[in-house]
């Protein structure tokens, strides 16, 4: 009778323990659901803020200035000076990078080197350098065209002139970004060919300041547009 009583008590304790564990799990699940319900509005709000920031960042600064001029918050002379100043700076810096491109330099990939087995090894440099040269030249020429043609437009027609150009006003800036990116990649590729393992390690380290520059540009662009 005593062993039977002990077994019965043990079974009761085990059932009680299982019930308490199930209750704790249920309570824990309810707590998680409550926390998720509380966090959901915050996540939605942050997602909306991020979407708004991205939409603001990708907008053209020149077109935003044009809207200010259309709403009479900026006069045509001020708008002209700011816009031509940006095109002038982009054209000058693009011309500087144009002198640093090395499209006509020949690079030979040694079969026993670190990059010897890379497909199209000897074509990567002329492709990147040629792309950098092409877009730098486009940036210089487009900046010059836009700068000169704006000089001939009277103030009262400046808004309509800019509206008809639409996204074309951003071509110098876009070409400059593509040119600098291609130039940097070509420079890193030359470093790998000339310096081997060290050049490869240095290329990886360069990604850190490059990423910081991109983030700084996007941050300042977002702040400017706001």
């Amino acid at each position: 009778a005593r062993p039977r009583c002990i077994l019965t008590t043990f079974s009761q304790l085990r059932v009680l323990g299982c019930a308490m564990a199930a209750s704790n799990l249920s309570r824990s699940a309810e707590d998680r659901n409550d926390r998720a319900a509380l966090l959901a509005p915050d996540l939605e709000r942050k997602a909306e803020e991020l979407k708004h920031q991205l939409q603001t960042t990708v907008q053209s600064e020149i077109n935003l200035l044009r809207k200010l001029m259309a709403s009479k918050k900026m006069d045509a002379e001020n708008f002209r000076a700011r816009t031509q100043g940006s095109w002038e700076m982009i054209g000058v810096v693009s011309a500087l990078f144009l002198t640093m491109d090395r499209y006509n330099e020949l690079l030979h990939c040694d079969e026993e080197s670190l990059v010897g087995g890379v497909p199209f090894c000897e074509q990567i440099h002329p492709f990147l350098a040629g792309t950098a040269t092409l877009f730098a030249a486009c940036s210089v020429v487009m900046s010059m065209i836009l700068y000169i043609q704006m000089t001939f437009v009277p103030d009262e027609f400046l808004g309509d002139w800019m509206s008809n150009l639409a996204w074309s006003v951003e071509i110098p800036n876009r070409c400059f970004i593509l040119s600098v990116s291609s130039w940097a990649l070509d420079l890193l590729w030359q470093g790998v060919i000339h310096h081997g393992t060290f050049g490869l390690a240095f290329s990886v380290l360069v990604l850190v300041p490059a990423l910081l520059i991109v983030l700084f540009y996007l941050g300042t662009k977002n702040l400017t547009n706001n």
Side-chain angles (χ1 to χ4, degrees):
R2 185 176 299 174
R4 220 180 258 177
C5 180
I6 293 175
L7 288 174
T8 302
T9 304
F10 179 74
S11 299
Q12 292 174 347
L13 290 174
R14 186 171 61 182
V15 171
L16 180 62
C18 290
M20 293 177 62
S23 177
N24 290 334
L25 288 175
S26 177
R27 193 178 302 113
S28 178
E30 291 177 359
D31 292 340
R32 285 196 297 270
N33 292 334
D34 292 340
R35 284 197 296 269
L38 291 174
L39 290 175
D42 292 338
L43 292 176
E44 292 179 359
R45 179 174 53 80
K46 290 180 179 180
E48 287 296 326
E49 290 177 356
L50 179 60
K51 181 180 178 180
H52 174 71
Q53 289 180 359
L54 290 175
Q55 291 175 344
T56 303
T57 302
V58 299
Q59 293 185 72
S60 166
E61 295 93 329
I62 295 178
N63 285 328
L64 289 175
L65 283 179
R66 180 179 60 80
K67 292 179 181 179
L68 289 179
M69 183 179 65
S71 62
K72 307 301 181 182
K73 295 181 180 179
M74 177 181 293
D75 58 87
E77 183 180 357
N78 194 357
F79 173 79
R80 189 192 304 272
R82 291 171 183 267
T83 305
Q84 287 186 322
S86 67
W87 286 334
E88 182 180 13
M89 177 59 67
I90 292 172
V92 169
V93 179
S94 296
L96 175 63
F97 274 94
L98 188 60
T99 63
M100 296 191 294
D101 293 332
R102 295 291 179 264
Y103 174 68
N104 292 325
E105 283 189 0
L106 295 178
L107 288 181
H108 297 286
C109 299
D110 189 355
E111 292 295 332
E112 299 180 356
S113 66
L114 183 65
V115 296
V118 176
F120 307 105
C121 179
E122 295 187 354
Q123 285 73 43
I124 294 177
H125 163 66
F127 173 76
L128 292 175
T131 301
T133 302
L134 173 63
F135 283 112
C138 288
S139 180
V140 172
V141 174
M142 290 297 296
S143 297
M144 180 192 68
I145 292 173
L146 290 170
Y147 186 98
I148 293 174
Q149 292 303 314
M150 178 178 269
T151 305
F152 300 135
V153 180
D155 289 350
E156 57 268 26
F157 301 114
L158 194 55
D160 294 335
W161 184 78
M162 290 294 297
S163 298
N164 290 327
L165 285 176
W167 58 270
S168 301
V169 298
E170 287 295 321
I171 290 180
N173 187 40
R174 299 292 183 264
C175 289
F176 172 73
I177 293 175
L178 291 172
S179 174
V180 172
S181 301
S182 300
W183 170 81
L185 291 174
D186 179 53
L187 197 63
L188 294 177
W189 178 248
Q190 292 183 58
V192 173
I193 292 178
H194 289 304
H195 304 293
T197 305
F198 175 80
L200 180 62
F202 185 77
S203 299
V204 175
L205 291 177
V206 167
L207 294 177
V208 177
L211 179 61
L212 293 177
I213 290 174
V214 171
L215 293 176
F216 178 74
Y217 169 69
L218 294 177
T220 53
K221 193 174 189 297
N222 177 267
L223 182 62
T224 301
N225 289 350
N226 279 321

